[in-house]
Amino acid sequence: MAAEYPHGFPDDYRVFMDVYGQGAFDGFLLVEPPVQEVYPLDASATVRGETADAQYTAEETDFDRPELLIGWGTTVDADLLCWWGESPDPNAWTTVVWRRQWLSWDRFDYGMSEFLCRYAARDLPGVWTFDLPYDGCRFVHDRDAKRLRALKIDPWGPEPVAGT
């Protein structure tokens, strides 16, 4: 993986992937893996795929230095979640979000884990609004979501599904 991603990854991302893996928060915000294991035919749903999309979008929107964007996630609204890889130290990278519906790039002065914590606490004012059939925040690994869909079970219904 080092050859494919010479820039490395922030420690919080590596820990997140080790503990939780690829998946979605609330069926809305997706955290993408470096290597796709659940959907191997979907090469776009990886850090490499999100990075290509982010850099292309940045070039099309005259965003400053698109080559520094490294995509780590997306939303069902086609928003792009990226690191701003300006520092040689991945742990110093901050978060940049392309909000497709607003045609704007937003910068956040913190990394992925704090961004996700603020997302879970609904503490990202003005970024997204939610109309969920449950309180709180849920994360479901892609493997579990795929299994549940095969069983015709909605992991995002009002009641949590055991084992997710």
Side-chain angles (χ1 to χ4, degrees):
M1 190 167 6
E4 190 169 354
Y5 298 105
H7 49 66
F9 292 108
D11 291 341
D12 62 346
Y13 176 78
R14 290 186 305 187
V15 169
F16 184 92
M17 294 310 290
D18 286 345
V19 173
Y20 300 103
Q22 69 186 70
F25 286 89
D26 303 318
F28 175 74
L29 187 155
L30 294 77
V31 179
E32 303 294 7
V35 177
Q36 184 56 256
E37 295 175 2
V38 178
Y39 301 104
L41 299 179
D42 188 359
S44 66
T46 62
V47 169
R48 177 181 295 285
E50 296 303 336
T51 298
D53 193 12
Q55 290 178 353
Y56 173 79
T57 301
E59 288 170 3
E60 291 293 308
T61 59
D62 294 324
F63 183 77
D64 184 42
R65 302 188 64 200
E67 72 279 4
L68 295 180
L69 292 171
I70 302 164
W72 57 264
T74 188
T75 70
V76 296
D77 291 339
D79 299 332
L80 301 168
L81 293 80
C82 306
W83 290 294
W84 180 244
E86 188 171 38
S87 171
D89 176 9
N91 292 316
W93 295 347
T94 56
T95 303
V96 178
V97 175
W98 167 248
R99 297 180 62 208
R100 192 167 306 274
Q101 311 311 324
W102 288 265
L103 301 176
S104 69
W105 290 94
D106 294 335
R107 294 179 187 244
F108 299 87
D109 292 330
Y110 37 82
M112 184 200 79
S113 62
E114 185 172 343
F115 184 88
L116 292 176
C117 286
R118 288 178 182 233
Y119 169 86
R122 305 300 189 244
D123 185 25
L124 291 169
V127 178
W128 296 298
T129 58
F130 299 93
D131 184 21
L132 301 172
Y134 53 84
D135 293 327
C137 182
R138 290 187 201 159
F139 178 83
V140 176
H141 191 287
D142 282 351
R143 172 191 60 245
D144 296 322
K146 186 176 183 179
R147 176 181 53 84
L148 291 168
R149 280 193 300 275
L151 297 171
K152 308 256 187 271
I153 297 172
D154 178 8
W156 310 112
E159 298 298 322
V161 179
T164 61

